[in-house]
């Protein structure tokens, strides 16, 4: 039970990652020369604010074992994403930086870009990080570009939004936004999604509805989501309350107090692996479905010593190899997980293969192949969408 709570908390932390940075073309520049690798091994400090350590730690440790001449030890710490920028800036201002690699979602990356905290990696060090654009999966490359060269996309997934339900209790499975609304009306308080600002599935549901409903501009929640806001108000009549995290919805689905919830690939697979949700739970999509993707990044604070930077770049290059990427399958927690091409499940550890074989879904391959994958909203627009949802949809009903 303790490990289950830990994994769900970790998953929820990943879900809190916000929308993307404003897209800006990565400027053309001559690649810098990486510092030479040092002659003595060192300790490398990694901080995780988005949950990606669960998918990457084995890769980091493989590097340490393969290159003891460079790394004696990786120190791992975790922190909430909102604290990241202030923590790094304080260390930089004090000229006492002790963080070498940051694992973060787009929220932490965006805050760091805004405060000029990161080392430019792409294209400045593409000599050490070669062929990133060519090696990424297309949708992972889109997420990488959102980082404006300050972060390297290390894990990626198409996310959602998916509808997850208990088949023994739901016989008339909704296949469109209209039939979902009708189902919720006929079964009040049996459908739920969590507050979008605190939930990956809630967020993807919010960003995915404009595509499903055919709204005027899916990238403009203020002026282009008239159908979405009206629909969410109608739907909200039949939702008892909005929890502050996805884990509550999974627990209630598993316990039987809910029949249907909003989910993503990882939130579908991993809680069933853990036993929070019964293995028998099913998923479906709604007519007009588009994926809304998510990713985690490796970033490097400005000001780390040249010898540390040399090792960090070498580590990052290793983390983009197929062997290291295969660990991202995990137990379906960020399914699929790998950001680069040509990393089949057969390359993953046996425990990952077994978990996906038993709890994964064959239909995911076709859903990922046959449906467009959209990038999230940019950071400022995402905040505006969350604010509007909190005021107009969740007000008085969020717990």
């Amino acid at each position: 039970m303790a490990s289950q709570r830990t994994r769900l908390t970790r998953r929820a932390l990943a879900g809190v990652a916000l929308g993307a940075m404003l897209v800006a073309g990565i400027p053309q520049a001559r690649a810098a020369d990486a510092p030479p690798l040092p002659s003595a091994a060192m300790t490398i400090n990694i901080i995780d604010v988005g949950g990606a350590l669960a998918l990457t730690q084995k890769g980091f440790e493989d590097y340490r074992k393969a290159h003891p001449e460079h790394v004696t030890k990786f120190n791992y710490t975790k922190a909430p994403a909102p604290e990241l920028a202030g923590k790094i800036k304080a260390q930089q201002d004090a000229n006492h930086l002790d963080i070498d690699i940051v694992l973060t979602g787009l929220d932490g990356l965006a805050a760091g870009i805004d405060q000029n905290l990161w080392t430019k990696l792409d294209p400045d060090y593409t000599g050490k990080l070669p062929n990133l654009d060519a090696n990424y999966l297309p949708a992972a490359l889109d997420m990488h570009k959102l980082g404006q060269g300050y972060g390297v996309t290390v894990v990626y997934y198409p996310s959602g939004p998916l509808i997850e339900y208990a088949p023994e209790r739901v016989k008339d499975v909704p296949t469109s936004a209209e039939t979902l609304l009708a189902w919720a009306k006929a079964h009040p308080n049996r459908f739920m999604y969590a507050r979008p600002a605190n939930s990956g599935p809630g967020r993807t549901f919010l960003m995915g509805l404009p595509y499903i409903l055919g709204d005027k501009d899916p990238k403009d929640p203020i002026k282009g989501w008239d159908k979405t806001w009206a629909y969410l108000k109608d739907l909200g009549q039949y939702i008892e309350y909005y929890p502050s995290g996805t884990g509550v919805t999974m627990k209630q689905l598993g316990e039987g107090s809910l029949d249907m919830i909003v989910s993503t690939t990882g939130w579908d697979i991993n809680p069933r692996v853990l036993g929070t949700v019964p293995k028998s739970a099913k998923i479906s999509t709604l007519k007009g479905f588009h994926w809304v993707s998510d990713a985690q990044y490796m970033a490097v604070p400005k000001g780390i010593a040249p010898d540390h930077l040399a090792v960090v770049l070498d580590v990052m290059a290793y983390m983009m190899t197929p062997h290291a990427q295969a660990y991202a399958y995990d137990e379906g927690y960020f399914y699929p997980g790998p950001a680069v091409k040509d990393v089949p499940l057969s390359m993953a550890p046996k425990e990952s293969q077994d978990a996906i074989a038993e709890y994964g879904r064959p239909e995911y391959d076709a859903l990922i192949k046959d449906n467009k994958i959209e990038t999230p909203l940019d950071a400022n627009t995402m905040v505006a969408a969350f604010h509007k949802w909190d005021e107009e949809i969740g007000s008085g009903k969020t717990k």
Side-chain angles (χ1 to χ4, degrees):
M1 183 64 70
S3 99
Q4 176 173 314
R5 287 196 299 268
T6 299
R7 179 63 67 84
L8 285 175
T9 299
R10 184 187 76 194
R11 186 67 185 89
L13 284 172
V16 171
L18 298 176
M21 282 297 299
L22 286 167
V23 179
I26 295 175
Q28 297 300 312
R30 184 177 63 84
D33 293 329
L37 286 164
S39 57
M42 60 186 59
T43 297
I44 297 295
N45 297 319
I46 299 174
I47 187 169
D48 173 28
V49 300
L53 190 60
L55 311 174
T56 55
Q57 185 169 350
K58 290 179 181 177
F60 288 126
E61 290 302 318
D62 276 1
Y63 179 91
R64 180 186 60 80
K65 292 171 186 174
H67 296 285
E69 74 278 16
H70 299 324
V71 175
T72 56
K73 181 183 180 183
F74 286 108
N75 284 330
Y76 305 103
T77 58
K78 297 181 181 182
E83 297 178 6
L84 175 66
K87 182 180 182 72
I88 291 176
K89 190 172 190 309
Q91 291 188 9
Q92 290 172 333
D93 289 347
N95 198 27
H96 189 68
L97 185 64
D98 66 0
I99 297 171
D100 298 306
I101 298 174
V102 176
L103 299 173
T104 178
L106 282 157
D107 53 342
L109 192 68
I113 292 173
D114 185 59
Q115 298 186 46
N116 195 30
L117 302 182
W118 307 128
T119 298
K120 188 81 167 183
L121 298 171
D122 183 3
D124 289 19
Y125 292 106
T126 48
K128 191 65 182 178
L129 301 166
N131 302 319
L132 284 176
D133 288 9
N135 289 336
Y136 274 127
L137 293 165
L141 177 59
D142 290 340
M143 296 299 292
H144 177 70
K145 289 178 178 177
L146 291 175
Q148 301 183 36
Y150 292 99
V152 172
T153 298
V154 64
V155 293
Y156 145 85
Y157 83 136
S159 193
L162 304 172
I163 302 299
E164 187 167 358
Y165 62 95
E168 67 276 11
R169 301 192 296 274
V170 179
K171 304 302 181 182
D172 48 341
V173 180
T175 57
S176 66
E178 294 76 17
T179 55
L180 174 61
L181 181 61
W183 189 95
K185 183 177 181 180
H187 306 85
N189 301 331
R190 303 299 294 180
F191 169 78
M192 179 185 283
Y193 65 97
R195 180 181 179 232
N198 295 87
S199 166
R203 184 169 67 251
T204 59
F205 185 57
L206 181 66
M207 290 188 288
L209 274 175
Y211 299 100
I212 290 168
L213 295 169
D215 243 326
K216 183 171 65 175
D217 185 354
K219 295 295 188 183
D220 186 350
I222 304 305
K223 297 180 179 178
W225 285 17
D226 290 349
K227 294 179 182 178
T228 296
W229 296 119
Y231 180 86
L232 289 171
K233 287 176 185 176
D234 286 346
L235 186 64
Q237 299 174 79
Y238 315 112
I239 295 174
E240 182 179 7
Y241 73 97
Y242 302 99
S244 60
T246 314
V248 174
T249 68
M250 294 289 160
K251 186 172 183 288
Q252 292 195 23
L253 179 66
E255 292 174 344
S257 53
L258 290 174
D259 297 332
M260 190 183 303
I261 61 174
V262 173
S263 193
T264 63
T265 59
W267 271 107
D268 163 42
I269 296 173
N270 193 246
R272 289 190 298 119
V273 172
L274 297 172
T276 307
V277 174
K279 183 180 179 181
S280 59
K282 300 291 185 183
I283 60 100
S284 67
T285 59
L286 303 178
K287 182 181 178 182
F289 165 75
H290 289 214
W291 294 101
V292 179
S293 61
D294 199 0
Q296 294 283 309
Y297 298 80
M298 297 182 291
V300 181
K302 281 185 174 180
I304 70 170
D307 55 351
H308 279 242
L309 178 59
V311 173
V312 162
L313 291 171
D314 204 54
V315 170
M316 293 173 75
Y318 178 83
M319 294 301 295
M320 302 310 294
T321 63
H323 174 80
Q325 286 279 303
Y327 286 121
Y329 281 102
D330 187 56
E331 291 179 326
Y333 154 64
F334 214 70
Y335 184 82
V340 305
K341 300 173 184 174
D342 302 322
V343 186
L345 180 59
S346 59
M347 292 185 66
K350 186 178 185 302
E351 56 268 27
S352 294
Q353 295 186 44
D354 291 346
I356 301 303
E358 185 170 359
Y359 295 95
R361 299 192 188 275
E363 59 264 41
Y364 278 148
D365 288 345
L367 282 172
I368 293 170
K369 178 182 177 183
D370 297 340
N371 292 277
K372 189 171 182 182
I373 301 174
E374 308 287 350
T375 54
L377 296 176
D378 68 71
N380 291 336
T381 309
M382 175 67 69
V383 170
F386 288 165
H387 182 70
K388 188 173 177 70
W389 187 94
D390 285 343
E391 282 195 339
E392 299 185 9
I393 309 301
S395 180
K397 292 182 69 173
T398 300
K399 293 184 181 179

